[in-house]
Amino acid sequence: TSSIKELCLEKILLQCIIQSRTLSGADAINALRPFYFAVHPDFFGQHPKEREVNENSLKRLNGYLENLQKPGFRSFKPTQLTFYVREREPNSSNVQESFSTSGFRAVSFTLHTRDLLSTVLDILNSCSLSTEHIQSLNVNSQPHKEAKSTQNRPIKWDKTYYSFTGFKDPEEDLEQAQRVETTLTSWLDDNEASAVKKLKKSLPLRKELERLKNELSHQLQLSDIRWQRSWGIAHRCSQLHSLGRLVQQRPEVLKNVKGRTVVFTDRSGMSAAGHIMLGTMDVHHHWTKIFERLPNYYKLQKRLLFLEDQISQLLGGIQVIYIEELQPLLTLEEYYETLDSFYNKLLDSRLRFHPHSLRGLQMILESDRYTPSLHEFGHFTIPTVCDPATLQWFIVAKAQEARENLKRKEEMMITEKELIGTSTEKFSLDRLYKEPSVSSAQMINCCKRLLEESLPYLQGMHLCISHFYSVLQDGDLCIPWNWKS
């Protein structure tokens, strides 16, 4: 009877193996194409906060998918993800063009499946995307015919199967995981060792990055070197090495960069904030052209500042500003066109504001909004298409509230800086920082609650306040600002 039991068990295990291999990694990527088009950060250029959330969630999703493909990988924990999903456009047959560039919705879901096919189906269904195309994929590349009838139906074994074989019951695991909500201490318990290992591995590269950055900043007399995206340390080092080689090969083209900030980003040019943008996918030839064009960029920047001043005079002295953290990354040319169009609209409308009546107030221009708003930090967000009469009424009506918000912003910035310093010192952190999508109010709330805890795990670590739990590739610990104790 023992040999019969062993034979039955082997047959059961064979069926499990067949089912878990019904979708290859390449098939999974292909099946998720509509999902990637709906959430890819590159389509959220006008929405920096949503773009960053999707970037972080994609990193964690890719890690989950990679783990599914590792042979013998068993340690699965439910992974909660949030994506901003672009709304579908009706009557469009092209997958890439069928998604809107303006409308989107937030979708949150938890992954707990242990095979690629179920995971892909879960993702698509959670985002209300069609799964019909999966039927046309060759999802069963193994020559076992019996798998076809079960490829979309997970095997549900009787509880006695798990007690007999000693295997874990996935349903029981999931129920227990859902009952026990992730807490800060439990997550740190589970992930501290992994973070320490990655951090130690990254330390030599971190030192090299700091050396290269200081060397180039001093050599070119730059104000700063920054990165638009959260690239890994190795990636950043290679970008600085590339800039260093250009300095050696063409030192004459870099004579106009003194006092400027260089930002490594997706495209080359000059940003609306006046920073030199170096596209990470561009070759030296493109970078050289940007450096050669700098004198012309500086002339355009002077015209842009004059245009901002003219708009300010027409609007009672309110200051037109550009906030990198809250606005899309625009080139100098794009921002100049936006300002010029808005200025001409104001001239045509013949609005009348009392001179200097709005001095001390601030506003930003956005091309993807239709109604004006007042930000918690005190600046007005004004759509370029805003009706001039509506604009005038809104600014005048909200002027006092804007001044109060600006004053509160200064107080919050001071409080936030103090709490970051106190938290860094108490926990002996190497670094404490936040993602741009985390507001000052959220950061203050997070730090105040952290200071009430005893967290020896954090000594010497790099802690990032985010919206999710994750360990970055270089060992930074990311925790949500609203973590549970």
Side-chain angles (χ1 to χ4, degrees), residues 52 56 59 199 206 229-233 236 416 419-421 423-424 429-439 443 446-447 450 461-467 470-481:
E52 188 180 356
N56 290 329
K59 285 179 190 173
L199 182 62
R206 287 180 188 271
R229 301 276 200 92
S230 51
W231 282 298
I233 305 295
R236 295 184 184 207
E416 181 185 4
L419 284 169
I420 289 173
S423 302
T424 303
L429 287 162
D430 200 62
R431 186 185 176 208
L432 173 60
Y433 63 103
K434 67 171 186 174
E435 290 180 345
S437 56
V438 175
S439 70
M443 187 66 172
C446 176
C447 289
L450 277 176
M461 300 303 292
H462 290 242
L463 182 64
C464 173
I465 308 305
S466 174
H467 296 278
S470 62
V471 178
L472 300 186
Q473 65 192 74
D474 295 303
D476 295 48
L477 286 165
C478 291
I479 64 169
W481 68 270

Side-chain angles (χ1 to χ4, degrees), residues 273-296:
H275 303 324
I276 301 164
M277 301 192 302
L278 299 181
T280 56
M281 299 302 288
D282 291 339
V283 293
H284 281 182
H285 172 68
H286 293 110
W287 288 6
T288 301
K289 280 191 171 182
I290 296 302
F291 288 123
E292 287 173 345
R293 287 189 199 136
L294 284 179
N296 290 331

Side-chain angles (χ1 to χ4, degrees), residues 414-425 432 443-445 447-448 451:
I414 293 168
T415 304
E416 181 185 4
K417 189 176 179 181
E418 287 174 352
L419 284 169
I420 289 173
T422 307
S423 302
T424 303
E425 188 177 342
L432 173 60
M443 187 66 172
I444 288 168
N445 174 283
C447 289
K448 281 181 176 177
L451 288 168

Side-chain angles (χ1 to χ4, degrees), residues 42-86:
D42 287 352
F43 295 111
F44 286 80
Q46 300 289 315
H47 307 278
K49 286 187 181 180
E50 289 78 7
R51 174 182 181 132
E52 188 180 356
V53 168
N54 282 11
E55 275 183 357
N56 290 329
S57 292
L58 278 174
K59 285 179 190 173
R60 300 174 70 232
L61 172 60
N62 289 337
Y64 191 93
L65 294 175
E66 283 172 16
N67 285 336
L68 283 177
Q69 297 171 71
K70 289 178 183 175
F73 191 84
R74 293 187 180 278
S75 177
F76 281 92
K77 292 171 188 168
T79 300
Q80 186 175 8
L81 299 172
T82 296
F83 285 99
Y84 286 95
V85 181
R86 293 189 293 145

